[in-house]
PDB file of all heavy atoms in Angstrom:
ATOM      1  N   PHE I  20     -22.561   0.225  -9.836  1.00  0.00           N
ATOM      2  CA  PHE I  20     -23.136   0.925  -8.714  1.00  0.00           C
ATOM      3  C   PHE I  20     -22.861   0.170  -7.421  1.00  0.00           C
ATOM      4  O   PHE I  20     -22.884   0.772  -6.332  1.00  0.00           O
ATOM      5  CB  PHE I  20     -24.637   1.121  -8.910  1.00  0.00           C
ATOM      6  CG  PHE I  20     -25.501  -0.047  -8.485  1.00  0.00           C
ATOM      7  CD1 PHE I  20     -26.142  -0.028  -7.213  1.00  0.00           C
ATOM      8  CD2 PHE I  20     -25.739  -1.140  -9.322  1.00  0.00           C
ATOM      9  CE1 PHE I  20     -26.928  -1.098  -6.816  1.00  0.00           C
ATOM     10  CE2 PHE I  20     -26.538  -2.164  -8.936  1.00  0.00           C
ATOM     11  CZ  PHE I  20     -27.153  -2.164  -7.651  1.00  0.00           C
ATOM     12  N   THR I  21     -22.577  -1.137  -7.517  1.00  0.00           N
ATOM     13  CA  THR I  21     -22.234  -1.903  -6.305  1.00  0.00           C
ATOM     14  C   THR I  21     -21.396  -3.134  -6.666  1.00  0.00           C
ATOM     15  O   THR I  21     -21.493  -3.675  -7.769  1.00  0.00           O
ATOM     16  CB  THR I  21     -23.504  -2.350  -5.545  1.00  0.00           C
ATOM     17  OG1 THR I  21     -23.146  -2.876  -4.264  1.00  0.00           O
ATOM     18  CG2 THR I  21     -24.276  -3.412  -6.301  1.00  0.00           C
ATOM     19  N   VAL I  22     -20.599  -3.534  -5.701  1.00  0.00           N
ATOM     20  CA  VAL I  22     -19.990  -4.882  -5.727  1.00  0.00           C
ATOM     21  C   VAL I  22     -20.575  -5.593  -4.489  1.00  0.00           C
ATOM     22  O   VAL I  22     -20.490  -5.084  -3.361  1.00  0.00           O
ATOM     23  CB  VAL I  22     -18.450  -4.844  -5.589  1.00  0.00           C
ATOM     24  CG1 VAL I  22     -17.874  -6.265  -5.413  1.00  0.00           C
ATOM     25  CG2 VAL I  22     -17.835  -4.208  -6.827  1.00  0.00           C
ATOM     26  N   TRP I  23     -21.241  -6.720  -4.753  1.00  0.00           N
ATOM     27  CA  TRP I  23     -21.943  -7.461  -3.705  1.00  0.00           C
ATOM     28  C   TRP I  23     -21.079  -8.640  -3.267  1.00  0.00           C
ATOM     29  O   TRP I  23     -20.805  -9.538  -4.063  1.00  0.00           O
ATOM     30  CB  TRP I  23     -23.305  -7.936  -4.236  1.00  0.00           C
ATOM     31  CG  TRP I  23     -24.375  -8.132  -3.237  1.00  0.00           C
ATOM     32  CD1 TRP I  23     -25.355  -7.267  -2.906  1.00  0.00           C
ATOM     33  CD2 TRP I  23     -24.639  -9.334  -2.462  1.00  0.00           C
ATOM     34  NE1 TRP I  23     -26.198  -7.819  -1.972  1.00  0.00           N
ATOM     35  CE2 TRP I  23     -25.790  -9.080  -1.693  1.00  0.00           C
ATOM     36  CE3 TRP I  23     -24.010 -10.589  -2.388  1.00  0.00           C
ATOM     37  CZ2 TRP I  23     -26.307 -10.042  -0.802  1.00  0.00           C
ATOM     38  CZ3 TRP I  23     -24.534 -11.529  -1.500  1.00  0.00           C
ATOM     39  CH2 TRP I  23     -25.674 -11.237  -0.714  1.00  0.00           C
ATOM     40  N   LEU I  24     -20.669  -8.629  -2.014  1.00  0.00           N
ATOM     41  CA  LEU I  24     -19.762  -9.627  -1.502  1.00  0.00           C
ATOM     42  C   LEU I  24     -20.461 -10.482  -0.455  1.00  0.00           C
ATOM     43  O   LEU I  24     -21.376 -10.036   0.244  1.00  0.00           O
ATOM     44  CB  LEU I  24     -18.557  -8.962  -0.837  1.00  0.00           C
ATOM     45  CG  LEU I  24     -17.702  -8.041  -1.702  1.00  0.00           C
ATOM     46  CD1 LEU I  24     -16.648  -7.330  -0.834  1.00  0.00           C
ATOM     47  CD2 LEU I  24     -17.022  -8.836  -2.817  1.00  0.00           C
ATOM     48  N   ASP I  25     -20.021 -11.748  -0.320  1.00  0.00           N
ATOM     49  CA  ASP I  25     -20.408 -12.526   0.860  1.00  0.00           C
ATOM     50  C   ASP I  25     -19.165 -13.160   1.465  1.00  0.00           C
ATOM     51  O   ASP I  25     -18.063 -13.037   0.874  1.00  0.00           O
ATOM     52  CB  ASP I  25     -21.507 -13.535   0.554  1.00  0.00           C
ATOM     53  CG  ASP I  25     -21.090 -14.643  -0.381  1.00  0.00           C
ATOM     54  OD1 ASP I  25     -19.900 -15.038  -0.373  1.00  0.00           O
ATOM     55  OD2 ASP I  25     -21.943 -15.183  -1.135  1.00  0.00           O
ATOM     56  N   GLY I  26     -19.305 -13.769   2.606  1.00  0.00           N
ATOM     57  CA  GLY I  26     -18.157 -14.345   3.286  1.00  0.00           C
ATOM     58  C   GLY I  26     -18.141 -15.862   3.214  1.00  0.00           C
ATOM     59  O   GLY I  26     -17.539 -16.509   4.057  1.00  0.00           O
ATOM     60  N   ALA I  27     -18.825 -16.440   2.200  1.00  0.00           N
ATOM     61  CA  ALA I  27     -18.916 -17.910   2.124  1.00  0.00           C
ATOM     62  C   ALA I  27     -17.530 -18.505   2.071  1.00  0.00           C
ATOM     63  O   ALA I  27     -16.663 -18.080   1.354  1.00  0.00           O
ATOM     64  CB  ALA I  27     -19.681 -18.280   0.861  1.00  0.00           C
ATOM     65  N   CYS I  28     -17.342 -19.546   2.935  1.00  0.00           N
ATOM     66  CA  CYS I  28     -16.043 -20.191   3.023  1.00  0.00           C
ATOM     67  C   CYS I  28     -16.246 -21.647   3.472  1.00  0.00           C
ATOM     68  O   CYS I  28     -16.136 -21.975   4.662  1.00  0.00           O
ATOM     69  CB  CYS I  28     -15.135 -19.464   3.982  1.00  0.00           C
ATOM     70  SG  CYS I  28     -13.495 -20.183   4.178  1.00  0.00           S
ATOM     71  N   GLY I  29     -16.565 -22.534   2.523  1.00  0.00           N
ATOM     72  CA  GLY I  29     -16.794 -23.922   2.860  1.00  0.00           C
ATOM     73  C   GLY I  29     -15.650 -24.808   2.361  1.00  0.00           C
ATOM     74  O   GLY I  29     -15.870 -25.912   1.860  1.00  0.00           O
ATOM     75  N   SER I  30     -14.412 -24.339   2.555  1.00  0.00           N
ATOM     76  CA  SER I  30     -13.238 -25.043   2.022  1.00  0.00           C
ATOM     77  C   SER I  30     -13.122 -26.463   2.544  1.00  0.00           C
ATOM     78  O   SER I  30     -12.579 -27.323   1.887  1.00  0.00           O
ATOM     79  CB  SER I  30     -11.987 -24.255   2.293  1.00  0.00           C
ATOM     80  OG  SER I  30     -11.932 -23.926   3.696  1.00  0.00           O
ATOM     81  N   HIS I  31     -13.616 -26.707   3.782  1.00  0.00           N
ATOM     82  CA  HIS I  31     -13.489 -28.077   4.329  1.00  0.00           C
ATOM     83  C   HIS I  31     -14.287 -29.089   3.507  1.00  0.00           C
ATOM     84  O   HIS I  31     -13.984 -30.302   3.554  1.00  0.00           O
ATOM     85  CB  HIS I  31     -13.982 -28.093   5.770  1.00  0.00           C
ATOM     86  CG  HIS I  31     -15.412 -27.818   5.948  1.00  0.00           C
ATOM     87  ND1 HIS I  31     -15.943 -26.550   5.865  1.00  0.00           N
ATOM     88  CD2 HIS I  31     -16.466 -28.637   6.223  1.00  0.00           C
ATOM     89  CE1 HIS I  31     -17.252 -26.590   6.072  1.00  0.00           C
ATOM     90  NE2 HIS I  31     -17.576 -27.835   6.284  1.00  0.00           N
ATOM     91  N   LEU I  32     -15.269 -28.612   2.726  1.00  0.00           N
ATOM     92  CA  LEU I  32     -16.045 -29.539   1.888  1.00  0.00           C
ATOM     93  C   LEU I  32     -15.136 -30.139   0.815  1.00  0.00           C
ATOM     94  O   LEU I  32     -15.442 -31.234   0.306  1.00  0.00           O
ATOM     95  CB  LEU I  32     -17.218 -28.812   1.244  1.00  0.00           C
ATOM     96  CG  LEU I  32     -18.292 -28.286   2.167  1.00  0.00           C
ATOM     97  CD1 LEU I  32     -19.328 -27.497   1.366  1.00  0.00           C
ATOM     98  CD2 LEU I  32     -18.976 -29.448   2.890  1.00  0.00           C
ATOM     99  N   ASP I  33     -14.084 -29.434   0.448  1.00  0.00           N
ATOM    100  CA  ASP I  33     -13.180 -29.894  -0.602  1.00  0.00           C
ATOM    101  C   ASP I  33     -11.827 -30.335  -0.048  1.00  0.00           C
ATOM    102  O   ASP I  33     -10.858 -30.465  -0.805  1.00  0.00           O
ATOM    103  CB  ASP I  33     -13.013 -28.809  -1.650  1.00  0.00           C
ATOM    104  CG  ASP I  33     -14.351 -28.360  -2.227  1.00  0.00           C
ATOM    105  OD1 ASP I  33     -15.107 -29.234  -2.632  1.00  0.00           O
ATOM    106  OD2 ASP I  33     -14.600 -27.131  -2.275  1.00  0.00           O
ATOM    107  N   GLY I  34     -11.755 -30.462   1.264  1.00  0.00           N
ATOM    108  CA  GLY I  34     -10.506 -30.902   1.876  1.00  0.00           C
ATOM    109  C   GLY I  34      -9.414 -29.858   1.838  1.00  0.00           C
ATOM    110  O   GLY I  34      -8.215 -30.200   1.870  1.00  0.00           O
ATOM    111  N   LYS I  35      -9.782 -28.596   1.781  1.00  0.00           N
ATOM    112  CA  LYS I  35      -8.790 -27.540   1.708  1.00  0.00           C
ATOM    113  C   LYS I  35      -8.782 -26.739   3.010  1.00  0.00           C
ATOM    114  O   LYS I  35      -9.794 -26.693   3.700  1.00  0.00           O
ATOM    115  CB  LYS I  35      -9.102 -26.584   0.537  1.00  0.00           C
ATOM    116  CG  LYS I  35      -8.937 -27.210  -0.830  1.00  0.00           C
ATOM    117  CD  LYS I  35      -9.217 -26.196  -1.916  1.00  0.00           C
ATOM    118  CE  LYS I  35      -9.040 -26.811  -3.319  1.00  0.00           C
ATOM    119  NZ  LYS I  35      -9.240 -25.784  -4.394  1.00  0.00           N
ATOM    120  N   PRO I  36      -7.672 -26.091   3.331  1.00  0.00           N
ATOM    121  CA  PRO I  36      -7.675 -25.220   4.510  1.00  0.00           C
ATOM    122  C   PRO I  36      -8.566 -24.009   4.309  1.00  0.00           C
ATOM    123  O   PRO I  36      -8.818 -23.627   3.161  1.00  0.00           O
ATOM    124  CB  PRO I  36      -6.189 -24.815   4.650  1.00  0.00           C
ATOM    125  CG  PRO I  36      -5.635 -24.959   3.250  1.00  0.00           C
ATOM    126  CD  PRO I  36      -6.362 -26.136   2.653  1.00  0.00           C
ATOM    127  N   ALA I  37      -9.037 -23.456   5.400  1.00  0.00           N
ATOM    128  CA  ALA I  37      -9.908 -22.281   5.333  1.00  0.00           C
ATOM    129  C   ALA I  37      -9.155 -21.127   4.688  1.00  0.00           C
ATOM    130  O   ALA I  37      -8.018 -20.846   5.022  1.00  0.00           O
ATOM    131  CB  ALA I  37     -10.417 -21.907   6.693  1.00  0.00           C
ATOM    132  N   GLN I  38      -9.811 -20.448   3.762  1.00  0.00           N
ATOM    133  CA  GLN I  38      -9.256 -19.286   3.119  1.00  0.00           C
ATOM    134  C   GLN I  38      -9.547 -18.061   3.960  1.00  0.00           C
ATOM    135  O   GLN I  38     -10.695 -17.789   4.357  1.00  0.00           O
ATOM    136  CB  GLN I  38      -9.848 -19.058   1.732  1.00  0.00           C
ATOM    137  CG  GLN I  38      -9.379 -17.812   0.989  1.00  0.00           C
ATOM    138  CD  GLN I  38      -7.930 -17.958   0.542  1.00  0.00           C
ATOM    139  OE1 GLN I  38      -7.545 -18.989  -0.010  1.00  0.00           O
ATOM    140  NE2 GLN I  38      -7.124 -16.953   0.798  1.00  0.00           N
ATOM    141  N   LYS I  39      -8.517 -17.293   4.298  1.00  0.00           N
ATOM    142  CA  LYS I  39      -8.714 -16.053   5.036  1.00  0.00           C
ATOM    143  C   LYS I  39      -8.833 -14.913   4.019  1.00  0.00           C
ATOM    144  O   LYS I  39      -7.856 -14.561   3.357  1.00  0.00           O
ATOM    145  CB  LYS I  39      -7.549 -15.803   5.995  1.00  0.00           C
ATOM    146  CG  LYS I  39      -7.483 -16.822   7.124  1.00  0.00           C
ATOM    147  CD  LYS I  39      -6.354 -16.515   8.084  1.00  0.00           C
ATOM    148  CE  LYS I  39      -6.310 -17.540   9.222  1.00  0.00           C
ATOM    149  NZ  LYS I  39      -5.197 -17.236  10.166  1.00  0.00           N
ATOM    150  N   TYR I  40     -10.028 -14.381   3.918  1.00  0.00           N
ATOM    151  CA  TYR I  40     -10.269 -13.323   2.947  1.00  0.00           C
ATOM    152  C   TYR I  40      -9.732 -11.981   3.463  1.00  0.00           C
ATOM    153  O   TYR I  40     -10.004 -11.574   4.591  1.00  0.00           O
ATOM    154  CB  TYR I  40     -11.770 -13.169   2.674  1.00  0.00           C
ATOM    155  CG  TYR I  40     -12.420 -14.422   2.188  1.00  0.00           C
ATOM    156  CD1 TYR I  40     -13.686 -14.785   2.680  1.00  0.00           C
ATOM    157  CD2 TYR I  40     -11.846 -15.200   1.218  1.00  0.00           C
ATOM    158  CE1 TYR I  40     -14.323 -15.934   2.217  1.00  0.00           C
ATOM    159  CE2 TYR I  40     -12.474 -16.353   0.752  1.00  0.00           C
ATOM    160  CZ  TYR I  40     -13.711 -16.711   1.255  1.00  0.00           C
ATOM    161  OH  TYR I  40     -14.332 -17.841   0.780  1.00  0.00           O
ATOM    162  N   ASP I  41      -9.000 -11.306   2.625  1.00  0.00           N
ATOM    163  CA  ASP I  41      -8.463  -9.989   2.937  1.00  0.00           C
ATOM    164  C   ASP I  41      -9.470  -8.922   2.513  1.00  0.00           C
ATOM    165  O   ASP I  41      -9.266  -8.223   1.507  1.00  0.00           O
ATOM    166  CB  ASP I  41      -7.117  -9.788   2.284  1.00  0.00           C
ATOM    167  CG  ASP I  41      -6.376  -8.555   2.761  1.00  0.00           C
ATOM    168  OD1 ASP I  41      -7.003  -7.743   3.479  1.00  0.00           O
ATOM    169  OD2 ASP I  41      -5.187  -8.404   2.449  1.00  0.00           O
ATOM    170  N   PHE I  42     -10.566  -8.788   3.272  1.00  0.00           N
ATOM    171  CA  PHE I  42     -11.647  -7.857   2.888  1.00  0.00           C
ATOM    172  C   PHE I  42     -11.124  -6.427   2.778  1.00  0.00           C
ATOM    173  O   PHE I  42     -11.541  -5.711   1.873  1.00  0.00           O
ATOM    174  CB  PHE I  42     -12.774  -7.920   3.907  1.00  0.00           C
ATOM    175  CG  PHE I  42     -13.699  -9.088   3.714  1.00  0.00           C
ATOM    176  CD1 PHE I  42     -13.681 -10.187   4.548  1.00  0.00           C
ATOM    177  CD2 PHE I  42     -14.601  -9.114   2.639  1.00  0.00           C
ATOM    178  CE1 PHE I  42     -14.551 -11.257   4.356  1.00  0.00           C
ATOM    179  CE2 PHE I  42     -15.459 -10.179   2.435  1.00  0.00           C
ATOM    180  CZ  PHE I  42     -15.429 -11.243   3.313  1.00  0.00           C
ATOM    181  N   GLU I  43     -10.254  -6.021   3.683  1.00  0.00           N
ATOM    182  CA  GLU I  43      -9.775  -4.640   3.603  1.00  0.00           C
ATOM    183  C   GLU I  43      -9.053  -4.372   2.274  1.00  0.00           C
ATOM    184  O   GLU I  43      -9.137  -3.293   1.704  1.00  0.00           O
ATOM    185  CB  GLU I  43      -8.859  -4.342   4.793  1.00  0.00           C
ATOM    186  CG  GLU I  43      -9.561  -4.376   6.150  1.00  0.00           C
ATOM    187  CD  GLU I  43     -10.730  -3.412   6.227  1.00  0.00           C
ATOM    188  OE1 GLU I  43     -10.656  -2.339   5.624  1.00  0.00           O
ATOM    189  OE2 GLU I  43     -11.702  -3.743   6.916  1.00  0.00           O
ATOM    190  N   ARG I  44      -8.338  -5.382   1.787  1.00  0.00           N
ATOM    191  CA  ARG I  44      -7.694  -5.251   0.504  1.00  0.00           C
ATOM    192  C   ARG I  44      -8.730  -5.131  -0.619  1.00  0.00           C
ATOM    193  O   ARG I  44      -8.574  -4.290  -1.548  1.00  0.00           O
ATOM    194  CB  ARG I  44      -6.787  -6.442   0.232  1.00  0.00           C
ATOM    195  CG  ARG I  44      -6.048  -6.386  -1.115  1.00  0.00           C
ATOM    196  CD  ARG I  44      -5.202  -7.652  -1.333  1.00  0.00           C
ATOM    197  NE  ARG I  44      -4.574  -7.636  -2.629  1.00  0.00           N
ATOM    198  CZ  ARG I  44      -3.900  -8.657  -3.153  1.00  0.00           C
ATOM    199  NH1 ARG I  44      -3.780  -9.803  -2.454  1.00  0.00           N
ATOM    200  NH2 ARG I  44      -3.369  -8.583  -4.363  1.00  0.00           N
ATOM    201  N   TYR I  45      -9.786  -5.943  -0.531  1.00  0.00           N
ATOM    202  CA  TYR I  45     -10.846  -5.877  -1.556  1.00  0.00           C
ATOM    203  C   TYR I  45     -11.482  -4.486  -1.559  1.00  0.00           C
ATOM    204  O   TYR I  45     -11.704  -3.900  -2.614  1.00  0.00           O
ATOM    205  CB  TYR I  45     -11.906  -6.921  -1.311  1.00  0.00           C
ATOM    206  CG  TYR I  45     -11.454  -8.328  -1.116  1.00  0.00           C
ATOM    207  CD1 TYR I  45     -12.275  -9.294  -0.473  1.00  0.00           C
ATOM    208  CD2 TYR I  45     -10.217  -8.786  -1.570  1.00  0.00           C
ATOM    209  CE1 TYR I  45     -11.876 -10.577  -0.289  1.00  0.00           C
ATOM    210  CE2 TYR I  45      -9.804 -10.083  -1.395  1.00  0.00           C
ATOM    211  CZ  TYR I  45     -10.645 -11.005  -0.745  1.00  0.00           C
ATOM    212  OH  TYR I  45     -10.250 -12.283  -0.531  1.00  0.00           O
ATOM    213  N   TYR I  46     -11.786  -3.997  -0.364  1.00  0.00           N
ATOM    214  CA  TYR I  46     -12.453  -2.698  -0.253  1.00  0.00           C
ATOM    215  C   TYR I  46     -11.562  -1.606  -0.854  1.00  0.00           C
ATOM    216  O   TYR I  46     -12.057  -0.758  -1.620  1.00  0.00           O
ATOM    217  CB  TYR I  46     -12.710  -2.333   1.217  1.00  0.00           C
ATOM    218  CG  TYR I  46     -13.601  -3.308   1.984  1.00  0.00           C
ATOM    219  CD1 TYR I  46     -13.644  -3.274   3.365  1.00  0.00           C
ATOM    220  CD2 TYR I  46     -14.435  -4.208   1.329  1.00  0.00           C
ATOM    221  CE1 TYR I  46     -14.454  -4.147   4.078  1.00  0.00           C
ATOM    222  CE2 TYR I  46     -15.235  -5.108   2.045  1.00  0.00           C
ATOM    223  CZ  TYR I  46     -15.234  -5.059   3.433  1.00  0.00           C
ATOM    224  OH  TYR I  46     -16.029  -5.930   4.134  1.00  0.00           O
ATOM    225  N   ALA I  47     -10.305  -1.643  -0.531  1.00  0.00           N
ATOM    226  CA  ALA I  47      -9.405  -0.597  -1.046  1.00  0.00           C
ATOM    227  C   ALA I  47      -9.293  -0.631  -2.551  1.00  0.00           C
ATOM    228  O   ALA I  47      -9.271   0.399  -3.229  1.00  0.00           O
ATOM    229  CB  ALA I  47      -7.997  -0.774  -0.408  1.00  0.00           C
ATOM    230  N   LEU I  48      -9.284  -1.852  -3.121  1.00  0.00           N
ATOM    231  CA  LEU I  48      -9.233  -1.992  -4.563  1.00  0.00           C
ATOM    232  C   LEU I  48     -10.485  -1.464  -5.233  1.00  0.00           C
ATOM    233  O   LEU I  48     -10.426  -0.714  -6.233  1.00  0.00           O
ATOM    234  CB  LEU I  48      -9.038  -3.478  -4.933  1.00  0.00           C
ATOM    235  CG  LEU I  48      -8.952  -3.819  -6.417  1.00  0.00           C
ATOM    236  CD1 LEU I  48      -7.727  -3.147  -7.086  1.00  0.00           C
ATOM    237  CD2 LEU I  48      -8.915  -5.320  -6.642  1.00  0.00           C
ATOM    238  N   ILE I  49     -11.633  -1.813  -4.684  1.00  0.00           N
ATOM    239  CA  ILE I  49     -12.901  -1.336  -5.195  1.00  0.00           C
ATOM    240  C   ILE I  49     -12.992   0.187  -5.148  1.00  0.00           C
ATOM    241  O   ILE I  49     -13.383   0.865  -6.086  1.00  0.00           O
ATOM    242  CB  ILE I  49     -14.084  -1.961  -4.463  1.00  0.00           C
ATOM    243  CG1 ILE I  49     -14.126  -3.482  -4.706  1.00  0.00           C
ATOM    244  CG2 ILE I  49     -15.417  -1.356  -4.931  1.00  0.00           C
ATOM    245  CD1 ILE I  49     -15.065  -4.254  -3.781  1.00  0.00           C
ATOM    246  N   ARG I  50     -12.588   0.775  -3.981  1.00  0.00           N
ATOM    247  CA  ARG I  50     -12.595   2.202  -3.839  1.00  0.00           C
ATOM    248  C   ARG I  50     -11.720   2.889  -4.872  1.00  0.00           C
ATOM    249  O   ARG I  50     -12.028   3.987  -5.390  1.00  0.00           O
ATOM    250  CB  ARG I  50     -12.132   2.582  -2.456  1.00  0.00           C
ATOM    251  CG  ARG I  50     -13.074   2.141  -1.318  1.00  0.00           C
ATOM    252  CD  ARG I  50     -14.349   2.909  -1.263  1.00  0.00           C
ATOM    253  NE  ARG I  50     -15.082   2.696  -0.067  1.00  0.00           N
ATOM    254  CZ  ARG I  50     -16.352   2.373   0.035  1.00  0.00           C
ATOM    255  NH1 ARG I  50     -17.048   2.233  -1.069  1.00  0.00           N
ATOM    256  NH2 ARG I  50     -16.933   2.196   1.216  1.00  0.00           N
ATOM    257  N   ARG I  51     -10.576   2.285  -5.156  1.00  0.00           N
ATOM    258  CA  ARG I  51      -9.619   2.891  -6.115  1.00  0.00           C
ATOM    259  C   ARG I  51     -10.151   2.794  -7.544  1.00  0.00           C
ATOM    260  O   ARG I  51     -10.085   3.793  -8.296  1.00  0.00           O
ATOM    261  CB  ARG I  51      -8.263   2.202  -5.993  1.00  0.00           C
ATOM    262  CG  ARG I  51      -7.224   2.740  -6.980  1.00  0.00           C
ATOM    263  CD  ARG I  51      -5.826   2.234  -6.627  1.00  0.00           C
ATOM    264  NE  ARG I  51      -5.736   0.799  -6.748  1.00  0.00           N
ATOM    265  CZ  ARG I  51      -5.523   0.114  -7.905  1.00  0.00           C
ATOM    266  NH1 ARG I  51      -5.405   0.801  -9.048  1.00  0.00           N
ATOM    267  NH2 ARG I  51      -5.407  -1.181  -7.906  1.00  0.00           N
ATOM    268  N   LEU I  52     -10.695   1.644  -7.912  1.00  0.00           N
ATOM    269  CA  LEU I  52     -11.107   1.454  -9.316  1.00  0.00           C
ATOM    270  C   LEU I  52     -12.501   2.023  -9.606  1.00  0.00           C
ATOM    271  O   LEU I  52     -12.772   2.455 -10.725  1.00  0.00           O
ATOM    272  CB  LEU I  52     -11.087  -0.036  -9.620  1.00  0.00           C
ATOM    273  CG  LEU I  52      -9.738  -0.736  -9.536  1.00  0.00           C
ATOM    274  CD1 LEU I  52      -9.884  -2.244  -9.841  1.00  0.00           C
ATOM    275  CD2 LEU I  52      -8.733  -0.101 -10.505  1.00  0.00           C
ATOM    276  N   GLN I  53     -13.378   1.981  -8.590  1.00  0.00           N
ATOM    277  CA  GLN I  53     -14.743   2.474  -8.763  1.00  0.00           C
ATOM    278  C   GLN I  53     -15.145   3.303  -7.522  1.00  0.00           C
ATOM    279  O   GLN I  53     -15.892   2.840  -6.680  1.00  0.00           O
ATOM    280  CB  GLN I  53     -15.734   1.294  -8.952  1.00  0.00           C
ATOM    281  CG  GLN I  53     -15.531   0.528 -10.234  1.00  0.00           C
ATOM    282  CD  GLN I  53     -16.407   1.005 -11.376  1.00  0.00           C
ATOM    283  OE1 GLN I  53     -17.242   1.882 -11.224  1.00  0.00           O
ATOM    284  NE2 GLN I  53     -16.205   0.410 -12.552  1.00  0.00           N
ATOM    285  N   PRO I  54     -14.632   4.499  -7.444  1.00  0.00           N
ATOM    286  CA  PRO I  54     -14.845   5.309  -6.212  1.00  0.00           C
ATOM    287  C   PRO I  54     -16.314   5.616  -5.900  1.00  0.00           C
ATOM    288  O   PRO I  54     -16.633   5.940  -4.775  1.00  0.00           O
ATOM    289  CB  PRO I  54     -14.038   6.580  -6.496  1.00  0.00           C
ATOM    290  CG  PRO I  54     -13.856   6.640  -7.965  1.00  0.00           C
ATOM    291  CD  PRO I  54     -13.770   5.209  -8.415  1.00  0.00           C
ATOM    292  N   ASN I  55     -17.186   5.532  -6.913  1.00  0.00           N
ATOM    293  CA  ASN I  55     -18.595   5.846  -6.690  1.00  0.00           C
ATOM    294  C   ASN I  55     -19.446   4.596  -6.466  1.00  0.00           C
ATOM    295  O   ASN I  55     -20.687   4.637  -6.513  1.00  0.00           O
ATOM    296  CB  ASN I  55     -19.152   6.656  -7.872  1.00  0.00           C
ATOM    297  CG  ASN I  55     -18.433   7.961  -8.058  1.00  0.00           C
ATOM    298  OD1 ASN I  55     -18.110   8.644  -7.082  1.00  0.00           O
ATOM    299  ND2 ASN I  55     -18.145   8.310  -9.296  1.00  0.00           N
ATOM    300  N   CYS I  56     -18.808   3.474  -6.226  1.00  0.00           N
ATOM    301  CA  CYS I  56     -19.474   2.184  -6.095  1.00  0.00           C
ATOM    302  C   CYS I  56     -19.671   1.854  -4.635  1.00  0.00           C
ATOM    303  O   CYS I  56     -18.764   1.986  -3.809  1.00  0.00           O
ATOM    304  CB  CYS I  56     -18.589   1.141  -6.805  1.00  0.00           C
ATOM    305  SG  CYS I  56     -19.121  -0.558  -6.578  1.00  0.00           S
ATOM    306  N   ALA I  57     -20.892   1.380  -4.301  1.00  0.00           N
ATOM    307  CA  ALA I  57     -21.188   0.923  -2.961  1.00  0.00           C
ATOM    308  C   ALA I  57     -20.720  -0.523  -2.795  1.00  0.00           C
ATOM    309  O   ALA I  57     -20.785  -1.308  -3.741  1.00  0.00           O
ATOM    310  CB  ALA I  57     -22.675   1.028  -2.660  1.00  0.00           C
TER     311      ALA I  57
END
């Protein structure tokens, strides 16, 4: 019924570069696989 996302990005805590999340890609995938999902 839902996929619950957050934007947590603490990569500097592990000495890694910030990850740029492709939210639009995630949304499109969710819509395609579960069209009735919020």
Side-chain angles (χ1 to χ4, degrees):
F20 86 98
T21 190
V22 173
W23 206 96
L24 302 173
D25 66 32
C28 180
S30 52
H31 65 284
L32 295 175
D33 303 311
K35 294 182 177 181
Q38 178 71 47
K39 293 182 179 180
Y40 302 137
D41 190 348
F42 279 107
E43 295 302 327
R44 180 183 177 188
Y45 309 159
Y46 301 162
L48 180 64
I49 295 167
R50 294 288 193 230
R51 179 169 61 83
L52 298 178
Q53 294 267 355
N55 299 319
C56 173

